[in-house]
Amino acid sequence: MFTACELGVFDLLLESEGPLSSDAIAERLGASTNGMEQLLNACVGLKLLGVEIRSEGGKDVICRTPDPLSSLFLKICLIFAFFHHRGTLPHNCHAFPKIMANGSEIISAISLKGASGLAQECISLHPNSTATIFDLPTVEQMAKEHYVPTEERRITFHEGDFLKDPVPEADLYILARALHLWEDDKCLQLLEKVHKTCKPGGGVLVVESFLNEDKTGFPGAQLSSMMLVQTEGKERTPTEYNKLLTAAGFREIQVKKTGKLYDAILGRK
C-alpha cells in the first residue's frame, strides 16, 4: 500500500476515465513495467484494486480498476504511515526488516527442507524409485546433515549450479519453487537444458503458485510475486508456464490446479 500510494497508483486510477493496463500505468508513472505489474497484482490480491479484461488491438488486455473501498484503504494507509514516521508503532511492526537481513539463511533452510521432504515423499510413493537432489554445495551439505537419514540409500546428491552446470540424467525432473525466481530467458535456459538431458519418454514437473489468467489468485501468490521484484522473477499463470515449457521442447502439457497455494504443470519429452 505504501508503494502504491507513493507512486500515485490510486490517484491515477481514480482520475482516469476508465480502467488502465499495467503498461499504461507504468508509463504514466515512470515506473518499471515488470515491477508495476507485480505491484498491481499484489494490490488486487489485497482487494485494493479490481480487475477487468478488455479487448485492445484484437487481444485481451488485463486492466486494473479502482475498488469502491480504495479511498478508505488510502486513508487507513496514510494514517498508518503517519504513525510509522512518528515512531509510535508497536515494536513487532519493526521485525520484518530484521527477518529480511537474514533472508539468505532463512530461504536456504526452507528450500533444503522442501527438496529433501519432496524426495522422501517420492521414494515413499514409489518404493522402486531413486531420487537425486541437485543444489549448491552448501545447501547439499546442510541437507545431508539435517534432513536426509544417512542410512537412506535411495536419495543421492548432485552438487552444482543448474544455470551453469550440466544436470544429471533422469526420467523426471521436479522443479519446485525454482522457476519463479528467474526471468523468462533464464527459465527457458534451464528448461532447455533439462529437456536435452531428460530420457526419452520422461518429463518435467513444475511446482509453483499459479496466478489466474487475469493475474488474480491466492493473495499469498500475488504478494510473493511482488517480493520477487527484488530478484528478477515473478509468479506466472499456467499459460505463461505452458509457453515456456513448449518453447523448451516439451509436449503434452498438463496443468493441475490444486485449489491450494501450490499447483503443478507437467511437460513430456
Side-chain angles (χ1 to χ4, degrees):
M1 288 191 295
F2 289 138
T3 303
C5 286
E6 185 173 345
L7 290 175
V9 171
F10 298 110
D11 292 335
L12 176 62
L13 286 171
L14 289 170
E15 293 169 2
S16 67
E17 297 181 356
L20 296 174
S21 67
S22 59
D23 288 348
I25 295 172
E27 181 179 358
R28 295 193 190 186
L29 297 179
S32 157
T33 301
N34 179 57
M36 180 57 69
E37 181 180 359
Q38 310 317 315
L39 173 62
L40 295 174
N41 287 343
C43 288
V44 170
L46 292 172
K47 310 300 183 186
L48 300 177
L49 295 177
V51 174
E52 182 176 314
I53 299 180
R54 291 192 166 193
S55 180
E56 295 181 7
K59 65 177 183 178
D60 290 338
V61 176
I62 300 171
C63 298
R64 275 71 177 189
T65 62
D67 188 271
L69 294 178
S70 290
S71 58
L72 174 60
F73 279 114
L74 265 172
K75 293 175 182 177
I76 295 174
C77 184
L78 291 173
I79 293 171
F80 189 83
F82 171 76
F83 285 111
H84 175 73
H85 289 298
R86 287 176 61 96
T88 53
L89 287 174
H91 182 265
N92 62 359
C93 292
H94 300 285
F96 190 65
K98 295 180 181 178
I99 293 174
M100 294 304 293
N102 299 310
S104 59
E105 291 82 3
I106 294 170
I107 291 170
S108 294
I110 294 172
S111 298
L112 273 170
K113 190 173 182 180
S116 303
L118 183 59
Q120 293 180 57
E121 182 69 17
C122 287
I123 62 172
S124 175
L125 291 172
H126 304 280
N128 294 324
S129 67
T130 60
T132 299
I133 299 176
F134 185 99
D135 217 321
L136 299 172
T138 53
V139 177
E140 296 283 16
Q141 187 60 37
M142 192 179 298
K144 292 176 183 178
E145 293 177 359
H146 300 285
Y147 298 110
V148 178
T150 55
E151 65 273 14
E152 180 54 74
R153 302 300 181 186
R154 290 177 296 167
I155 297 178
T156 58
F157 296 87
H158 189 104
E159 297 179 354
D161 182 335
F162 59 53
L163 290 176
K164 300 177 181 178
D165 303 320
V167 297
E169 187 180 53
D171 295 300
L172 177 67
Y173 294 83
I174 303 176
L175 303 180
R177 302 296 286 160
L179 295 185
H180 77 147
L181 295 171
W182 308 102
E183 62 182 356
D184 287 353
D185 288 346
K186 288 186 179 177
C187 289
L188 183 57
Q189 174 188 339
L190 173 58
L191 289 170
E192 287 176 337
K193 182 185 295 187
V194 168
H195 183 270
K196 182 178 180 180
T197 312
C198 184
K199 294 179 181 179
V204 61
L205 181 68
V206 176
V207 179
E208 294 285 358
S209 294
F210 293 167
L211 295 176
N212 296 328
E213 297 301 333
D214 62 359
K215 298 303 177 79
T216 61
F218 279 102
Q222 292 168 310
L223 293 174
S224 171
S225 190
M226 178 61 203
M227 293 178 68
L228 290 171
V229 172
Q230 299 177 62
T231 57
E232 58 184 61
K234 61 180 180 179
E235 305 296 356
R236 296 176 173 87
T237 67
T239 295
E240 289 172 326
Y241 279 116
N242 192 319
K243 288 180 180 179
L244 287 171
L245 288 169
T246 301
F250 290 99
R251 299 291 181 266
E252 301 179 34
I253 311 296
Q254 300 176 49
V255 176
K256 175 65 176 179
K257 296 291 290 287
T258 66
K260 300 179 181 179
L261 181 57
Y262 298 126
D263 304 298
I265 183 168
L266 174 70
R268 296 182 179 276
K269 181 174 179 179

